Amino acid sequence: GAVVSQHPSWVICKSGTSVKIECRSLDFQATTMFWYRQFPKQSLMLMATSNEGSKATYEQGVEKDKFLINHASLTLSTLTVTSAHPEDSSFYICSARDMAGGLLFSEQYFGPGTRLTVT
Amino acid sequence: DAKTTQPNSMESNEEEPVHLPCNHSTISGTDYIHWYRQLPSQGPEYVIHGLTSNVNNRMASLAIAEDRKSSTLILHRATLRDAAVYYCILRDPYSGAGSYQLTFGKGTKLSVIP
């Protein structure tokens, strides 16, 4: 099956610093990638939709200047958490849609997640 | 968006079948029913999806009610590795810009007892 990787798998950073998380589709091309955030014992919440070559679309309440998303190629999207604070500590998960799937049957493939802890 | 309702948790004995229910009484005619599951500390993984007819794959079976207002995910023989949160999600591929988005509810936490 299709594989999506994330790097790093976990990161600890100090308050005020920035952290970049990479999401790669390893064996397929993805015009659309999604970024989710999941707090402990809660469900996944969609943060933004990332389209290759264009600006990301952010969900209501998500600060676009704080969570910078770049989708420069068909296999790579990055999420940068700028000026991180302890409340940004969370499990960040990306997913990618296989272009070959078509409208009706394309499924999303999820990465393994990145655990961010801000001290 | 049409919403789904699932029990918060369920238990099953190992090697027995598990039936995970999902209610979606406001489903539209173009909504597909998707199931994903999330193992602890991992990203979700696709399980199965369907529109009207029952579906089978190597992981599970999906039984869809005739009126499509409910569905059931069937794991034929639960293993310890099936312990996860199972999400029932509706997706309308014709809804324009948001057609690829998945909206996760709280899901059902399945515990498998050895």
Side-chain angles (χ1 to χ4, degrees):
Chain A
V3 177
V4 174
S5 70
Q6 281 185 242
H7 178 81
S9 56
W10 59 270
V11 58
I12 302 173
C13 71
K14 291 186 177 180
S15 186
T17 61
S18 296
V19 174
K20 180 185 284 187
I21 302 170
E22 292 186 349
C23 176
R24 294 181 184 273
S25 56
L26 297 185
D27 49 4
F28 66 98
Q29 293 184 325
T31 52
T32 305
M33 291 184 172
F34 301 89
W35 287 96
Y36 296 83
R37 179 168 53 182
Q38 185 174 32
F39 293 107
K41 299 190 184 300
Q42 295 187 23
S43 189
L44 283 78
M45 291 183 56
L46 180 65
M47 299 176 66
T49 301
S50 169
N51 293 299
E52 185 266 338
S54 64
K55 291 183 179 180
T57 303
Y58 291 82
E59 295 299 300
Q60 191 172 9
V62 178
E63 300 175 56
K64 63 179 181 180
D65 294 330
K66 180 170 182 62
F67 299 99
L68 303 179
I69 291 172
N70 184 278
H71 192 161
S73 78
L74 288 173
T75 60
L76 173 64
S77 177
T78 60
L79 168 68
T80 301
V81 183
T82 63
S83 187
H85 291 283
E87 57 265 31
D88 299 322
S89 298
S90 188
F91 193 47
Y92 290 86
I93 305 168
C94 73
S95 70
R97 187 183 79 85
D98 188 344
M99 286 175 61
L103 176 63
L104 296 182
F105 302 111
S106 66
E107 291 306 319
Q108 288 188 34
Y109 301 98
F110 287 80
T114 297
R115 178 81 56 192
L116 170 64
T117 302
V118 184
T119 61
Chain B
D1 292 339
K3 294 184 178 178
T4 63
T5 304
Q6 299 177 252
N8 290 332
S9 62
M10 290 185 65
E11 278 188 353
S12 173
N13 293 319
E14 194 176 10
E15 299 191 1
E16 289 190 356
V18 183
H19 291 233
L20 297 165
C22 180
N23 288 321
H24 29 78
S25 59
T26 59
I27 191 170
S28 74
T30 51
D31 280 326
Y32 280 73
I33 303 161
H34 294 250
W35 284 81
Y36 283 77
R37 72 179 186 180
Q38 185 178 24
L39 280 65
S41 298
Q42 295 187 30
E45 65 173 337
Y46 167 80
V47 177
I48 200 167
H49 79 282
L51 181 61
T52 56
S53 304
N54 294 343
V55 184
N56 299 297
N57 67 20
R58 64 175 181 82
M59 288 182 70
S61 295
L62 176 60
I64 301 173
E66 195 169 337
D67 63 4
R68 299 208 329 124
K69 294 185 176 183
S70 65
S71 60
T72 303
L73 178 70
I74 303 167
L75 306 179
H76 296 287
R77 286 184 63 199
T79 69
L80 297 179
R81 295 196 305 176
D82 291 322
V85 178
Y86 287 78
Y87 298 98
C88 171
I89 302 169
L90 302 182
R91 182 177 81 92
D92 181 357
Y94 303 103
S95 62
S99 62
Y100 301 118
Q101 291 180 2
L102 296 175
T103 301
F104 287 81
K106 295 183 177 179
T108 296
K109 183 176 183 179
L110 175 66
S111 300
V112 180
I113 303 168

